[in-house]
């Protein structure tokens, strides 16, 4: 301790000397004894230096201790903290360690397993060869897994440290981003097609009216009616596109108000009764007369049920009736209110059911266009229900009609 103190005093000798000189001058001027004050002053200066140096050493020591702890932290603990699949391997491309995410994604990855045998895709072989040969320090590729479901990964490979003889593979799942890109491209293509068809029709009729049918009154009236129908179709499509865009801007914003569900359904049925009569359909009600309140946005829920009831009247008109019912639901962990719109028309084949809520997906394109459908109605329904933390289920058999059930949280 004494030796360490002298070393510290020596390091700060200039400051200490200046302090002693100042003390001596002060006491000489005062004419008092110097022994005790100087001794006390030296002890004070030494303690300040020791404490100050000790604080610096404590800070440096804490940082050094943390660095030592990090160096002693097992590599598998760090690997487990990574949420993406991660595989450590050696110079022979043999698995040394795989984290839980890698095992959950790719199955058994026991130490000693050969990576070229596990991942046989040519691009993976090239990636491993490049990194192991030392031609590159790090590299990345796109890699697709086909089974059990198709997934797309961005795979990065690099060395671990310097001279460790270890390498790492990290798999970043790009499936959702690729799905969104593909959906966006499909959406643009479909929207362009839907708008191009009526525009081509209108352009053709305008050309005919300016040429051969210039003085043909009957043809002119017929073509103008078709042009009016086509412009109406484009207007409906644009309205649905704008509605879908607005919903996508607020998909997870939970409505703060409460809605009388039975009152909303009555308003929907009253609105669509003339359409039902035109199609030879009777809309039947099976719900309680008293109000059924749930959290939600009335305008958006009105749009949901208007879409469903209108579809039932149009595509299920051969059944002659549509039944709208409200029942309590107990299928999930939380209570729900279930609204079912059932028709008795031709029904929907099983292979179409998972896709009917996709944008522009049509079971029968000609029938849909004849009914003035845009192919976006059920996509809008799905987005509104997502915003309301609800869901849509569909049950149907060909020849026995279809039942669309909306499950909405009761609380």
């Amino acid at each position: 301790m004494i030796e360490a103190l002298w070393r510290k005093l020596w390091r700060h000798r200039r400051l200490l000397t200046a302090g002693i000189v100042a003390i001596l001058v002060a006491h000489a001027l005062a004419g008092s004894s110097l022994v005790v004050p100087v001794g006390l002053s030296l002890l004070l200066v030494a303690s300040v230096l020791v404490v100050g140096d000790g604080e610096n050493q404590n800070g440096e020591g804490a940082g050094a201790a943390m660095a030592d702890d990090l160096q002693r932290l097992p590599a598998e603990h760090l690997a487990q903290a990574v949420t993406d699949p991660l595989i450590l391997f050696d110079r022979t491309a043999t698995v040394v360690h795989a984290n839980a995410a890698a095992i959950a994604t790719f199955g058994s990855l026991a130490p000693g397993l050969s990576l070229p045998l596990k991942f046989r895709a040519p691009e993976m072989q090239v990636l491993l060869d490049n990194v192991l040969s030392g031609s590159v320090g790090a590299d990345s590729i796109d890699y697709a897994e086909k089974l059990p479901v198709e997934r797309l990964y961005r795979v990065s490979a690099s060395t671990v440290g310097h001279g460790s003889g270890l390498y790492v593979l990290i798999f970043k799942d790009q499936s959702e981003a690729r799905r969104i890109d593909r959906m966006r491209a499909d959406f643009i293509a479909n929207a362009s097609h839907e708008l191009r068809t009526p525009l081509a029709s209108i352009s053709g009729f305008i050309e005919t009216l300016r040429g051969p049918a210039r003085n043909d009154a009957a043809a002119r009236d017929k073509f103008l009616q078709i042009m009016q129908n086509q412009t109406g179709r484009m207007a409906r499509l644009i309205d649905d596109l704008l509605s879908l865009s607005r919903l996508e801007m607020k998909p997870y914003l939970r409505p703060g108000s409460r809605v009388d569900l039975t009152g909303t359904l009555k308003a929907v049925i009253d609105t669509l009764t003339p359409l039902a009569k035109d199609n030879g359909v009777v809309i039947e009600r099976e719900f309680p007369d008293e109000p059924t309140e749930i959290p939600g946005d009335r305008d958006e829920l009105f749009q949901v049920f208007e879409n469903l009831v209108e579809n039932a009247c149009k595509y299920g008109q051969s059944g002659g009736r549509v039944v709208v019912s409200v029942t309590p639901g107990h299928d999930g962990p939380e209570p729900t209110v279930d609204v079912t719109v059932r028709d008795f028309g031709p029904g929907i084949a099983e292979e179409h059911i998972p896709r009917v809520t996709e944008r522009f997906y049509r079971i029968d394109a000609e029938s849909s266009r004849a009914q003035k459908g845009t192919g976006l109605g059920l996509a809008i329904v799905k987005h509104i229900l997502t915003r309301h933390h609800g869901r849509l289920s569909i049950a149907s058999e060909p020849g026995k009609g279809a039942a669309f059930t909306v499950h909405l949280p009761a609380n």
Side-chain angles (χ1 to χ4, degrees):
M1 174 66 182
I2 299 298
E3 184 180 355
L5 176 61
W6 278 115
R7 281 201 301 270
K8 293 166 187 171
L9 291 174
W10 178 253
R11 284 201 305 271
H12 301 284
R13 59 188 181 277
R14 292 182 179 178
L15 178 62
L16 183 60
T17 301
I20 292 173
V21 170
I23 293 169
L24 288 173
V25 170
H27 282 284
L29 293 173
S32 58
S33 175
L34 298 179
V35 178
V36 174
V38 169
L40 291 174
S41 300
L42 287 172
L43 287 175
L44 177 62
V45 172
S47 64
V48 170
L49 294 175
V50 171
V51 170
D53 193 66
E55 288 178 351
N56 291 336
Q57 283 198 346
N58 286 340
E60 294 173 359
M66 292 179 67
D68 290 341
D69 291 341
L70 183 61
Q71 291 176 356
R72 290 194 297 269
L73 189 65
E76 62 261 26
H77 290 179
L78 294 174
Q80 295 299 342
V82 178
T83 56
D84 295 320
L86 180 148
I87 302 173
L88 287 170
F89 60 100
D90 60 18
R91 291 189 178 94
T92 64
T94 300
V95 174
V96 175
H97 177 75
N99 68 357
I103 295 171
T105 302
F106 303 113
S108 176
L109 289 166
L113 178 67
S114 173
L115 283 177
L117 294 178
K118 178 67 176 178
F119 301 101
R120 298 176 181 270
E123 60 269 23
M124 286 292 289
Q125 306 286 330
V126 172
L127 177 67
L128 293 172
D129 290 343
N130 288 343
V131 174
L132 291 173
S133 66
S135 59
V136 294
D139 200 2
S140 58
I141 60 163
D142 288 328
Y143 168 70
E145 276 277 314
K146 301 296 183 182
L147 296 173
V149 293
E150 185 175 1
R151 309 293 294 178
L152 180 69
Y153 298 94
R154 186 67 177 172
V155 186
S156 301
S158 62
T159 58
V160 178
H162 299 284
S164 66
L166 292 177
Y167 305 83
V168 64
L169 281 177
I170 299 178
F171 296 76
K172 191 71 176 178
D173 195 341
Q174 302 290 311
S175 305
E176 183 64 15
R178 182 62 60 88
R179 186 189 69 82
I180 292 172
D181 287 342
R182 187 164 52 243
M183 185 174 66
R184 185 182 297 113
D186 291 344
F187 175 72
I188 292 172
N190 287 326
S192 300
H193 173 75
E194 292 294 328
L195 289 170
R196 187 186 299 115
T197 302
L199 282 173
S201 175
I202 292 171
S203 177
F205 287 127
I206 290 174
E207 185 177 348
T208 303
L209 287 172
R210 296 181 65 183
R214 181 189 300 268
N215 300 316
D216 189 337
R220 184 171 60 247
D221 291 342
K222 177 182 177 182
F223 293 160
L224 288 174
Q225 181 61 52
I226 295 173
M227 291 166 64
Q228 184 178 6
N229 294 339
Q230 294 296 339
T231 55
R233 175 183 167 189
M234 285 192 294
R236 290 192 300 273
L237 178 60
I238 291 170
D239 287 343
D240 281 352
L241 287 171
L242 290 174
S243 179
L244 198 55
S245 177
R246 284 192 295 268
L247 289 168
E248 287 179 336
M249 292 176 65
K250 50 178 184 180
Y252 302 110
L253 178 62
R254 186 159 190 165
S257 59
R258 295 186 68 81
V259 181
D260 176 10
L261 191 58
T262 53
T264 303
L265 287 169
K266 289 176 181 177
V268 169
I269 293 172
D270 291 342
T271 301
L272 294 176
T273 296
L275 173 69
K277 287 182 178 178
D278 291 342
N279 286 275
V281 174
V282 176
I283 302 176
E284 301 176 4
R285 312 179 187 190
E286 293 182 358
F287 44 82
D289 293 330
E290 64 273 9
T292 304
E293 287 197 348
I294 61 167
D297 182 289
R298 185 186 184 280
D299 291 339
E300 291 182 3
L301 290 178
F302 187 98
Q303 191 174 9
V304 166
F305 299 121
E306 184 179 40
N307 265 303
L308 295 178
V309 176
E310 184 175 352
N311 285 348
C313 292
K314 289 179 177 179
Y315 303 111
Q317 61 179 338
S318 60
R321 64 191 184 105
V322 170
V323 178
V324 181
S325 60
V326 178
T327 57
H330 304 287
D331 293 341
E334 299 293 334
T336 61
V337 176
D338 297 347
V339 180
T340 301
V341 179
R342 178 174 177 76
D343 67 69
F344 299 87
I348 304 171
E350 185 177 357
E351 65 268 19
H352 294 296
I353 290 177
R355 301 193 60 190
V356 293
T357 57
E358 294 179 13
R359 301 172 185 182
F360 297 111
Y361 185 82
R362 291 184 172 96
I363 299 170
D364 184 342
E366 291 303 321
S367 173
S368 177
R369 291 192 178 97
Q371 297 291 351
K372 301 181 180 180
T374 63
L376 294 173
L378 290 179
I380 292 172
V381 167
K382 180 181 177 181
H383 275 280
I384 293 175
L385 294 182
T386 298
R387 170 171 149 74
H388 283 71
H389 299 266
R391 60 188 178 88
L392 177 70
S393 63
I394 304 170
S396 180
E397 289 183 40
K400 297 185 178 180
F404 289 76
T405 301
V406 172
H407 308 269
L408 290 166
N411 301 316

